[in-house]
Amino acid sequence: MSAERRAQKPVLDCDVVVSRLPRSGLEVTYEANARERSALADLLSVLDVESVTARVTVSPWRRDGVSVRGRLTAEVTQASVVSLEPVEQAIDEEVDLVFLPEGSRLARPRQAADGELVVDPEGDDVPETFTGDRIPLGGAFAEIVALALDPYPRGGGESFEPAPDDAADAEPERPVSPFAALSRLKPGEK
């Protein structure tokens, strides 16, 4: 989590104190209130966020990390990219996150012997970091909703139709040769 992202207060307010987590984990149920849903709709530039609910288990992970596992569901209304009519989307996403305290040896990215950073695109996500004894789960929940949104929402039966092109029957234009300007020069001119 970048310093800029930490400095901003997440629109979903769900902080969990992790200084005294039970070994068996802590069950957390979160439901966004009307103010938070409105702020999330503004942040995501959608018409409305009807609900955001998360049911997760927050457990100790390795020596000083924290694991967050469970499900997040949301109901979001976006504008159709075809007709601008409202389109509802149900989101149901698995939550599987790991948080490490800043400065943890496990939070450092793995590097090869030559100093290059090794990133496995099929591997696990890089753990988020936190400071103090609280983890701001609200920011993670908002990010999960944002990533689950349909980037091109359309209502049932809507599709894009290409605009009629009067020039479709005309002969295609040939690209201008970079030497065309040179051919117009008279011999001896520069």
Side-chain angles (χ1 to χ4, degrees):
M1 190 180 301
S2 70
E4 180 181 310
R5 191 167 142 201
R6 271 194 307 274
Q8 289 181 328
K9 177 85 172 127
V11 294
L12 301 180
D13 188 19
C14 182
D15 288 357
V16 176
V17 177
V18 296
S19 57
R20 296 184 188 150
L21 278 179
R23 279 210 154 304
S24 60
L26 174 67
E27 299 293 322
V28 175
T29 300
Y30 167 76
E31 188 167 338
N33 63 36
R35 180 191 53 76
E36 293 169 322
R37 292 190 318 266
S38 176
L40 184 59
D42 289 344
L43 178 70
L44 300 176
S45 298
V46 297
L47 299 176
D48 193 18
V49 175
E50 290 85 13
S51 69
V52 176
T53 303
R55 288 180 180 79
V56 296
T57 302
V58 181
S59 309
W61 184 80
R62 296 197 179 176
R63 185 173 160 206
D64 53 357
V66 176
S67 168
V68 180
R69 292 177 182 243
R71 294 215 75 72
L72 178 136
T73 59
E75 297 289 329
V76 178
T77 302
Q78 301 182 76
S80 166
V81 295
V82 176
S83 65
L84 299 180
E85 293 296 318
V87 177
E88 294 180 2
Q89 179 183 358
I91 294 172
D92 185 1
E93 292 289 319
E94 179 181 355
V95 177
D96 187 2
L97 304 168
V98 173
F99 292 85
L100 295 169
E102 266 187 350
S104 171
R105 198 171 47 88
L106 297 173
R108 295 185 196 119
R110 195 178 70 188
Q111 290 187 345
D114 60 359
E116 286 188 22
L117 182 64
V118 178
V119 177
D120 180 3
E122 300 298 321
D124 292 333
D125 290 338
V126 176
E128 297 281 347
T129 58
F130 67 94
T131 56
D133 66 346
R134 294 179 175 271
I135 293 178
L137 290 181
F141 294 159
E143 188 174 297
I144 290 169
V145 172
L147 292 171
L149 286 176
D150 183 352
Y152 304 104
R154 288 182 260 176
E158 290 183 333
S159 65
F160 289 107
E161 297 296 328
D165 189 8
D166 295 335
D169 297 329
E171 186 177 319
E173 281 187 37
R174 292 189 182 123
V176 177
S177 167
F179 298 104
L182 292 175
S183 68
R184 289 191 301 258
L185 289 176
K186 294 181 184 171
E189 281 185 34
K190 289 191 182 181

